[in-house]
Amino acid sequence: MILDLDIGNTLSKWRLKDSVSSEIRSRGAVWTREEWRPGADIPDLDVVEAVRISSVARAAVLDDTVALLRRQVRHVFVARSLPESLGVINGYDEPGRLGVDRWMGVLAGYQLAGGCCAVDCGSAITIDFVLPGGTHLGGFIIPGLRLMKESLKLGTRNVAIDPDSEADALLEPGRRTVDAVNHGIYMAAVSAINRIYSEVCDQQGVALPMLLTGGDARVVSRGVRVPHAVWPDMVYGGLEAICPLTFAERAGRLAGAPRVPEPVSLEKIRAALAFSALL
């Protein structure tokens, strides 16, 4: 079995993947902590042959996790943000400072779609762009839905947005404080994603497919106005791409990869921007 770990600042996700069939056998998530316990935080390691890790948590969390794993698992791979990988040139002035989860998303998106806009809807919402030739432009970071809600300090933080809500309902004025907060932060998030995508495509003269991942991707997706696909395993896809361990991975098949959406034309993107400028 292969254990993939996506360690975030708040939540850590894991999955077990069959090293022969490439099938996903199980998955889970726990709150990020410094002391990891196999069987509680991560699966029992008796059947694990290799581990791949993407981590943006504190150095102590990663160090403790790696130390624990190396006592029982032969191969432990930790992803790093590099100046260049798999044909993608890191757009950061200091490449190592790009969050490795963003780098994994960019690499996965590029392997799947070529140039793309990769959006991760987690504690923060990150929006990264890579051009068809492999140039990563950098990106944008805005507060995620939960972080925006907590910043208002209105006692509504534990009332989440229903992921099954229709976008039209979420974009209406709220008639209760909790609804006003939820609808307001939703409008802020999806409006930012829509506008950033259009502005960058206009600047670069290219319409890019958009891929969404992260815990809030499902609900955010309902308000995104350009063609896109949701790929829950996009960070794992980056791990598969840079450290292929199965036959399918070495053949370039990434687990759970969606069909690449056909973007709207650049002319339509520019027309929408021109129209919004008139309002």
Side-chain angles (χ1 to χ4, degrees):
M1 290 288 183
I2 301 165
L3 173 63
D4 290 321
L5 285 174
D6 176 11
I7 304 175
N9 289 309
T10 304
L11 197 67
S12 295
K13 295 176 287 185
W14 60 266
R15 72 175 190 185
L16 273 180
K17 185 176 187 181
D18 193 295
S19 56
V20 177
S21 68
S22 281
E23 294 180 5
I24 307 304
R25 297 300 187 185
S26 60
R27 60 175 73 232
V30 295
W31 300 115
T32 298
R33 63 184 71 187
E34 292 190 10
E35 294 184 8
W36 289 79
R37 299 168 298 180
D41 299 331
I42 54 179
D44 289 322
L45 301 174
D46 294 342
V47 298
V48 175
E49 307 157 19
V51 182
R52 299 178 291 204
I53 303 173
S54 167
S55 176
V56 296
R58 298 180 302 280
V61 174
L62 179 59
D63 292 344
D64 288 352
T65 304
V66 170
L68 180 153
L69 293 168
R70 283 185 171 153
R71 288 196 293 268
Q72 295 183 252
V73 181
R74 178 177 298 180
H75 302 292
V76 178
F77 173 79
V78 179
R80 308 288 183 188
S81 295
L82 302 175
E84 187 276 336
S85 185
L86 301 176
V88 179
I89 300 172
N90 193 319
Y92 261 36
D93 294 334
E94 298 180 67
R97 291 187 175 275
L98 174 66
V100 71
D101 54 344
R102 292 170 60 194
W103 184 234
M104 293 300 98
V106 164
L107 294 179
Y110 188 71
Q111 299 311 299
L112 181 67
C116 68
C117 172
V119 182
D120 193 331
C121 306
S123 299
I125 295 174
T126 63
I127 309 165
D128 281 271
F129 293 86
V130 58
L131 297 179
T135 298
H136 171 234
L137 299 176
F140 301 80
I141 301 176
I142 62 176
L145 302 182
R146 290 171 178 80
L147 193 58
M148 280 194 271
K149 184 180 293 188
E150 290 175 10
S151 71
L152 292 174
K153 302 184 185 302
L154 293 176
T156 60
R157 59 181 294 180
N158 293 323
V159 184
I161 296 175
D162 182 355
D164 293 322
S165 299
E166 294 295 335
D168 288 346
L170 289 170
L171 298 178
E172 294 176 353
R175 295 178 180 272
R176 301 180 300 155
T177 298
V178 65
D179 292 333
V181 169
N182 282 342
H183 296 191
I185 63 176
Y186 185 76
M187 173 73 87
V190 299
S191 296
I193 293 170
N194 289 325
R195 186 58 182 261
I196 287 170
Y197 171 85
S198 297
E199 291 285 358
V200 173
C201 287
D202 178 36
Q203 293 166 10
Q204 298 298 322
V206 61
L208 299 170
M210 181 186 289
L211 301 168
L212 272 66
T213 194
D216 288 324
R218 182 179 167 197
V219 65
V220 168
S221 168
R222 293 173 175 266
V224 174
R225 300 304 188 192
V226 298
H228 61 279
V230 176
W231 187 4
D233 282 1
M234 190 157 68
V235 172
Y236 294 143
L239 289 173
E240 292 174 337
I242 62 172
C243 185
L245 298 175
T246 72
F247 177 81
E249 291 170 358
R250 288 190 287 270
R253 296 195 296 273
L254 306 180
R259 183 181 64 84
V260 178
E262 186 69 29
V264 299
S265 68
L266 184 60
E267 289 72 21
K268 287 187 177 181
I269 292 173
R270 286 174 167 164
L273 277 174
F275 179 74
S276 65
L278 295 174
L279 298 179

